[in-house]
Amino acid sequence: MIAYYICKFFSWLMCVSPKFIRNGVAHFLGTVAVWATPGWRLKMAAANVQECLGVDEKRARQIAEDSLHRFGRMIVEVMRFPLLKPDNIDKLVTVEGLEYLEAAYKENKGVIMATGHFGNWELLGATVALHGYPMLSITRKQNNSHMDKFINEYREMVGQKVAYNRGKTGLLAISRMLKEKHLLGVLFDQDTNDDGVEIEIFGKKCITPYGPAVLSRLYGSPILPIFMHNNPDGTLRAKIYPPLYTPKTKNKEQDYYDVTKELITVLEHEIIENPPMWFWVHDRWKDGRQRFAGKK
């Protein structure tokens, strides 16, 4: 329980501190994140950057470290959620493609907001909710129950509802949200060991969950790819793409594959535009430990 109250105090501190203090804290936390990450994960991340983006070894290492270092800023931004309101969110986050969300919501079939572990995905959900859209975020339950309570409180204070990605309760919440024609936030870029399809990301095969494609086919809901980018001045930019729809042909598996492939293509485009925004230290291709753990 002490961790919960430490986080609450830290949040208060970040809410009242001037910008130069917050920047310093973000830099420090980002440095700690790089330092605390196992060496094999950094080597894996740098190797994957090289293989995916074709950059040299030095640049690949920098991108890998930057993708970790940005978590300092992300943490500080989340700690400031108590300050976020519908009337001030536009000062922090500029939304490109909001017209796609407005049009998709008017279809009255629910909307699937599909993003990746890219930029500040927590603030992304908050931004959508604070624009007045009923939003359910699908999340993984934290190992520490007190930290789980803390982060879910902060998600809910900015207007989101939360459901876990495991168990009947989560499935019922997902179904209810789309049946009620609301928004569902889904992270689609990591292998969750559930049903998925084998799709190449930057030419490297991996399993990608086809949850968004399945839900779109089942409910007729549009899928909106959406991603968050950092601006150098401390503000952010959310980018919404035009909607995707899963067709209903006789070949259901092909329908799932085609839409999921389109989502991956959008993800690749976003990563190429801003490589450090993606979470490279995740063992996305499930071979990192085998390739790099134990190597000097």
Side-chain angles (χ1 to χ4, degrees):
M1 180 61 76
I2 190 171
Y4 172 85
Y5 289 108
I6 289 173
C7 286
K8 294 286 282 189
F9 174 75
F10 180 55
S11 173
W12 171 82
L13 197 60
M14 290 300 95
C15 286
V16 300
S17 296
K19 187 175 181 179
F20 79 93
I21 294 291
R22 302 197 305 269
N23 289 345
V25 171
H27 180 80
F28 171 76
L29 292 175
T31 302
V32 170
V34 175
W35 175 80
T37 298
W40 72 267
R41 283 195 176 274
L42 272 175
K43 291 176 184 177
M44 173 200 69
N48 285 335
V49 172
Q50 271 194 284
E51 293 164 7
C52 292
L53 303 182
V55 298
D56 62 37
E57 185 176 348
K58 182 178 179 181
R59 175 60 179 151
R61 175 76 182 195
Q62 186 63 57
I63 290 171
E65 291 187 358
D66 286 349
S67 74
L68 276 168
H69 202 276
R70 68 179 177 81
F71 274 83
R73 172 174 170 173
M74 181 175 172
I75 291 170
V76 170
E77 288 167 347
V78 171
M79 293 299 106
R80 288 172 58 81
F81 272 18
L83 300 178
L84 296 182
K85 308 294 178 186
D87 61 357
N88 66 17
I89 187 63
D90 287 339
K91 295 178 182 178
L92 179 63
V93 182
T94 300
V95 182
E96 296 179 2
L98 188 60
E99 67 274 13
Y100 297 128
L101 174 55
E102 293 170 346
Y105 191 68
K106 288 179 181 177
E107 291 184 26
N108 204 32
K109 296 179 180 179
V111 181
I112 301 163
M113 309 297 294
T115 190
H117 291 79
F118 186 101
N120 191 337
W121 58 86
E122 294 288 352
L123 184 53
L124 191 60
T127 299
V128 172
L130 288 168
H131 274 81
Y133 294 95
M135 178 82 172
L136 174 70
S137 290
I138 307 303
T139 185
R140 183 181 70 84
K141 190 171 186 177
Q142 301 297 312
N143 295 330
N144 185 305
S145 61
H146 302 304
M147 293 305 299
D148 192 65
K149 175 185 176 183
F150 174 81
I151 189 60
N152 285 337
E153 279 185 8
Y154 274 54
R155 289 165 176 154
E156 290 168 356
M157 76 168 52
V158 290
Q160 299 181 82
K161 295 181 179 180
V162 179
Y164 296 119
N165 59 357
R166 292 287 187 275
K168 293 182 179 179
T169 303
L171 292 174
L172 287 172
I174 291 170
S175 177
R176 187 185 311 115
M177 206 67 178
L178 291 177
K179 285 180 178 178
E180 293 175 356
K181 322 303 181 187
H182 295 327
L183 271 65
L184 176 68
V186 179
L187 292 158
F188 70 88
D189 64 332
Q190 293 187 3
D191 184 358
T192 58
N193 297 316
D194 294 328
D195 291 338
V197 292
E198 186 177 74
I199 292 179
E200 291 186 351
I201 300 182
F202 293 109
K204 300 177 64 174
K205 292 182 179 179
C206 58
I207 301 298
T208 298
Y210 51 43
V214 171
L215 293 169
S216 175
R217 194 178 194 274
L218 182 62
Y219 295 102
S221 307
I223 304 170
L224 293 185
I226 178 171
F227 297 88
M228 185 74 88
H229 292 264
N230 291 346
N231 295 327
D233 64 356
T235 61
L236 302 97
R237 172 174 60 95
K239 184 177 181 181
I240 304 175
Y241 281 79
L244 304 174
Y245 299 85
T246 306
K248 286 188 176 182
T249 71
K250 294 180 181 179
N251 192 337
K252 181 169 61 175
E253 295 300 318
Q254 188 64 45
D255 295 341
Y256 295 158
Y257 177 89
D258 291 343
V259 172
T260 305
K261 179 60 179 174
E262 287 191 69
L263 284 172
I264 291 299
T265 299
V266 173
L267 174 66
E268 289 175 333
H269 177 81
E270 289 294 300
I271 293 171
I272 291 169
E273 179 184 342
N274 202 341
M277 288 295 99
W278 200 40
F279 189 41
W280 288 98
V281 297
H282 172 65
D283 192 1
R284 183 63 184 88
W285 288 273
K286 303 300 183 185
D287 61 356
R289 187 179 294 274
Q290 179 182 351
R291 292 172 63 192
F292 298 99
K295 291 187 177 182
K296 294 184 179 179

